[in-house]
Amino acid sequence: MAPKSTGKNIEAETVLQAVVLADSFNERFNPITLDMPRCLLPLCNTPLIEYTLEFLAVAGVQEVYLFCREHSEKVKNYVKTSKWNRSYSPFKIITIVTPEARSVGDALRELDSKQLINSDFILISGDVVSNIHLKQVLDAHRARKNTDKNAIMTMVVKEASPFHRSRALGESSIFVLDGKSQECVHYESVELYPRKRRMVMDMQVFEKHSDVQIRNDLIDCQIDICSVPALFTENFDYQDIRKDFVYGILTSDLLGKTIYCHMVKDAYAARVRSLQTYDAISKDILSRWTYPIVPDSNLQEGDSYEYMRGQIYKEQDVSLSRSCVLGEKVLIGAGTEIAENVKITNSVIGRRVSIGPNVTIDGAYIWDGVTINANCSISRSILTNNVVLEENVIVNKGCLLTYDVIIGPNITLPPYTKLTSHKQTSENDDGDISEEDESGNQKAASFDISNLSLTDNESSASVISDGSSEEESDFDGPTTLEVFSKEVTQTLERAFSEGHTVEIASLELNTLRMASNTTFHDTRTVVIPTIFGQINTDKLLPSTKDVLSRWGLLIGKLVHSKADQIDALFILQECCAKSEIHNKTFAPSLRILYEIDVIEEDAILEWYYDERSKGGVVKHEAYSKLRDAHESFKRKPSDWDILDFLMNVIRNLSSQRVGFYLTSLETIIKTEEGAFNVSVIQAFNASHKVSVGAQSGKSGIASYSHKIENISNGSISVRRKRTISQESKYNEHVTSSMPKKRNKKDYDIRDTDGSMSDDELPPVS
Amino acid sequence: MLLFESDKKQSKQKRYSEFQAIVLCGETCIYRLYPLTEDNNVPKALLPVANKPMLHYVLDWLERAGITDVIIISESSGEHKIGHYIKNDYEGKLKPSLEIVKEDVGTADALRTIKDKIRNDFIVISCDLILDLPPHRFLDYHRTQEPAFTALFYEPNKSDGGGGSGNNCKDDDLKQFVGVDMNRSRLVYVASGADLDEEFSLRMSLLWKFPRVNILTTLQDSHLYIFKKWVIDLIVQRKSISSVREHLVPLLVKCQYQKKLLEREGIDNLAKSQVNYQKTALEYSTTWDEEDEDSPVRCQVYIYNTGFCGRGNTVAKYCDLNRYMMKISTETRVSPSAEVNTKTQVGSDSFVGDDTKIDERTSIKRSTIGSHCIIGKNVKISNSVLMDNIIIEDYVKLDGCVVCNGSKIMEKSVLKDCEVGGGYVVVSETQTKNEQLVEFRDLS
């Protein structure tokens, strides 16, 4: 430990450094920021960054590191030509371009890796307007570091009311401070959406602090005095300086660092965070709350503003007509011409603007080079560089017209319209892009104070130059599901062509599924049709068999329960119902799936009784049932089992379909009796050549068959209301073999059910 | 009509009183003062502090406040003793009336039973409160603000330690979270430590209405409130309100920022029913801004941290009260009728009651001795409270003890930080610490 005196000396010798984040890492100012970085946007005709740099110069900063990301060339050029690069500049300004940084955290990590910072530094956003004496804050921070070794940061906050105009409502925050030391003990951000109902913090706070102050009335100026940039490197997941960093430090038990707030009461400090605050701060500057940072201080070289009565600021070389009326809070840049009968109030007019006769402007921000022709009316809107309004254009509140947009004549813009000359960019290759260069239509976020619900106002129509107008619906990007299905299809195709194993394919699918956070159902809806797409339609059945015996297991990997199996069956059904060719593959594929144990009997039955299955491919169901019977017959040659199975089927059947099953049962029984008559079945399955290797039954069957025949004789009728052409084809076979049984109409399956289940069920062998 | 009638009644009374005072003499929590308030001793209101019952100090404070209309609410168990005190022993000018309620009813329930007797804005005060705050300051504060209620919160004075076996009162139970808007002195949040879990949360609606809230954990509720008259109507309407501190106050506090609650409970109508002169006056003002209009319910808080304020609701706090009053009391220290042997030392910070006999070579420091006690030779008493009719034999040492009426401590006993119950006999040569010595009582 060095003695204190030397420590102070060292401190005094170190250079005061400031880090300016010239990028906001958000898109609040879109579409203006498509062409110009936010820090160069004119605020009262002076680029935003100028206010921040001026503030730092007053604070005695000697080195400024300017971080920029987008439009970095423009920022660099600006800095190069500005007064800050001259020999008399109070500080050295170094521009650092971090194109890959996506957040403040990234930028600070970059800063740390460059090893540029060697002591306390000022971290400030490039859009701050303030007249705080930062020296006091710095002194307080240093003094605090002597008493509390763990103090790493001091945040400058300004007292205001919770609904203060320069407090961005969507991005405000609650600071919980120790009532005496101003130590920040908890931080919570308050966003407009989703609306916050409760503020929650840890009870531990009260163990250390008996007087806790909860403040919802502070403006976060984003001026911080920081000591340790390394913390960002250690915590690589910190993105936002407040939500992640401050919150992380305060909630961490391990770090044990402390953060303090410095309360500013009288001075001015605010950030241009959104269009709403842009409006508020502009007015504050015109009302001289920010003194000495006011237009007539002429911050930039070449400025020549004069302050006149009624908060009017006028540069030299402005030509005003005799009859024009300038109300309160008006700022007019050089080279502007204002024609007769123009009324301007609460507005900022840029340089080289030409305003035609009879124009009314209220609460508007008109940037350089704008042309406004006669009889226009503009209220509470922003017109950026080189916008042209033809005659008789009415711009309602909250409009945002960006570079080079030309409007009119005779057009009324609805409130909250945003127009840009940029083409809409879409990720989709074949996305429709409006042919017109002049305008696109975007979601409009209002900057109007009276409408703070922000985001959700959509302008309904876009107005295009040359007087034509066109409706254009908002373009929705591809949904995650679409992206997902595309990727799944690609994965599967790769698997098919490169011959992956089922395991690898299923692993890939699962990874995809988890990555896009979709359900197994979604996966199945994509996978099953894709697999079916592999079936060669020329050699339908062998191909079906090949494909499914190879890839059916993949479906098996996607089903885990009976419900899943049923779901898979529906998808299968839907997929097969799409075309005539696939129709034919339904039954065989069902069979294969059954054979490889992907789908179990219970699921088939349940699917079969589900109302939804009765559409589409109903005709195949009969097939499948019969074939199921055959299958179990084939697989398990015990007569008892077959009967058991079929009885079960019958017991659960609705009367409509009983006929088929009994016939098939009978066919089988006949087969059992040695008749070896598979012809009926073969007829059923003629199309797919299922040969039933039935084996001769022995005695004992007879008695059963007898009983069954009795039942059949006594009570069965086949209602065929839903006869479908194909069905009738094999029904003919059925009827031909048993013509007598088709007459009785009222058959109640339940009654027979009872009797059957009581005495007819065979013992399971 | 009703108004007219009540006016008539008022005129019949000797004096018009702006506030009524209701003194609650219930036993809030028996275990806290156990065994001091058992049946064989005295009710809480009559526990002696510097040889005067606690009730005396409350009535004195009210008298200084200029309040004439005082109602004392007592549970039936204390009826006889408190009634006797008011009739015979009370020396003040007030003529309090005594109302009896059932045992174990909440404070708000008690108010509900006497609702017909409440005609004005009323002060609710607990009988165990002793404070040196000049009453007019608190009343004037209420008069200027005209809130639904004004509560007095205080920062507890540091305890000198000693007294009370300590294990029967836990501070955690009493730790309170008080949210105050310091600029407007509004009470915006109350919760006791026991209600809160690991997380502390506030409604955002509170923070929008009161953007600057100080949550203090150092404050205690003195249970001294001034309520508007309409609050009694609310208590009558809402049967679920049973305690002033636990139900009524939090409800009114919430009404300040929860509009829906206010309307659902019909409190806004109640609150508006009473004419607010200040508001009426303000409405005629040219600078009156409609938007400034606050919720009809406003809860004001007076934070008293510059003087003494304390409640005797635990044994430890009761001892603190005694010590404090012993220091500042201007009453005669040793009663003229007491017989104190000349070879005995009674510290100037101690009290000795009427007809008490103290034998030789005894020393008494920072203690109060009640009336009709007999204290033997070579006894050492420090930091203790001895009530009436106690016999202390020779060579006994008492430190930080509370000895109840009629008990007897036989010779050579040494007790430290003990409570001796009423009528208990401590056998000779007992040596003990931190104990409650209570006679076994047959509960049947």
Side-chain angles (χ1 to χ4, degrees), chain B residues 63-104:
Chain B
E63 193 181 321
R64 279 188 285 143
I67 289 156
T68 49
D69 194 354
V70 179
I71 302 170
I72 295 174
I73 303 183
S74 164
E75 290 176 357
S76 46
S77 61
E79 176 181 4
H80 186 70
K81 283 171 181 165
I82 293 175
H84 181 268
Y85 169 75
I86 294 166
K87 224 182 251 173
N88 303 320
D89 297 343
Y90 174 63
E91 302 143 359
K93 286 173 188 133
L94 296 178
K95 297 200 167 47
S97 60
L98 182 65
E99 296 289 333
I100 303 301
V101 296
K102 278 182 282 178
E103 298 271 340
D104 294 329

Side-chain angles (χ1 to χ4, degrees), chain A residues 58-77:
Chain A
V58 171
V61 173
Q62 288 149 296
E63 261 180 31
V64 173
Y65 296 96
L66 191 67
F67 270 83
C68 46
R69 188 180 58 149
E70 279 171 359
H71 308 292
S72 52
E73 280 310 306
K74 283 184 184 165
V75 180
K76 267 187 170 172
N77 281 338

Side-chain angles (χ1 to χ4, degrees), chain A residues 512-558:
Chain A
L512 270 176
R513 185 182 58 80
M514 283 180 214
S516 57
N517 196 19
T518 45
T519 60
F520 275 110
H521 169 80
D522 294 329
T523 322
R524 284 193 294 265
T525 43
V526 183
V527 168
I528 293 175
T530 318
I531 291 176
F532 269 75
Q534 290 298 303
I535 295 171
N536 187 341
T537 42
D538 296 336
K539 300 177 278 176
L540 198 61
L541 292 171
S543 173
T544 308
K545 198 174 174 186
D546 283 353
V547 169
L548 281 184
S549 48
R550 172 102 169 78
W551 295 108
L553 284 171
L554 185 59
I555 303 174
K557 298 266 182 197
L558 299 172

Side-chain angles (χ1 to χ4, degrees), chain B residues 404-429:
Chain B
C404 293
N405 286 344
S407 48
K408 182 175 179 185
I409 298 174
M410 316 246 293
E411 55 180 6
K412 290 177 187 161
S413 293
V414 179
L415 303 182
K416 191 171 189 309
D417 297 336
C418 291
E419 288 97 51
V420 181
Y424 187 79
V425 179
V426 180
V427 293
S428 55
E429 299 186 44

Side-chain angles (χ1 to χ4, degrees), chain B residues 238-257:
Chain B
R238 303 276 309 164
K239 294 279 188 281
S240 58
I241 299 173
S242 112
S243 159
V244 170
R245 194 169 68 92
E246 282 161 36
H247 305 129
L248 180 66
V249 168
L251 176 71
L252 290 173
V253 163
K254 277 180 199 156
C255 281
Q256 293 180 101
Y257 57 87

Side-chain angles (χ1 to χ4, degrees), chain A residues 9-133:
Chain A
N9 281 339
I10 289 166
E11 222 166 64
E13 283 164 22
T14 52
V15 181
L16 182 56
Q17 294 167 312
V19 174
V20 179
L21 301 166
D23 201 285
S24 58
F25 302 103
N26 65 36
E27 297 181 339
R28 278 287 150 79
F29 276 83
N30 259 357
I32 312 177
T33 44
L34 291 177
D35 295 287
M36 203 191 262
R38 190 203 278 202
C39 62
L40 295 186
L41 300 183
L43 181 76
C44 294
N45 290 350
T46 305
L48 213 40
I49 190 85
E50 207 67 24
Y51 293 94
T52 310
L53 294 177
E54 190 71 36
F55 170 71
L56 293 176
V58 171
V61 173
Q62 288 149 296
E63 261 180 31
V64 173
Y65 296 96
L66 191 67
F67 270 83
C68 46
R69 188 180 58 149
E70 279 171 359
H71 308 292
S72 52
E73 280 310 306
K74 283 184 184 165
V75 180
K76 267 187 170 172
N77 281 338
Y78 176 81
V79 169
K80 218 177 261 175
T81 54
S82 73
K83 66 174 175 181
W84 307 110
N85 209 23
R86 303 284 156 80
S87 54
Y88 53 76
S89 163
F91 50 67
K92 208 164 74 183
I93 183 159
I94 300 128
T95 318
I96 299 172
V97 182
T98 55
E100 66 284 347
R102 291 266 153 234
S103 66
V104 180
D106 289 341
L108 289 184
R109 279 185 277 276
E110 177 96 17
L111 178 76
D112 189 44
S113 69
K114 281 191 175 13
Q115 298 284 322
L116 295 168
I117 303 297
N118 39 36
S119 76
D120 296 357
F121 66 101
I122 300 162
L123 178 64
I124 187 169
S125 155
D127 48 14
V128 169
V129 179
S130 174
N131 58 4
I132 296 171
H133 290 288

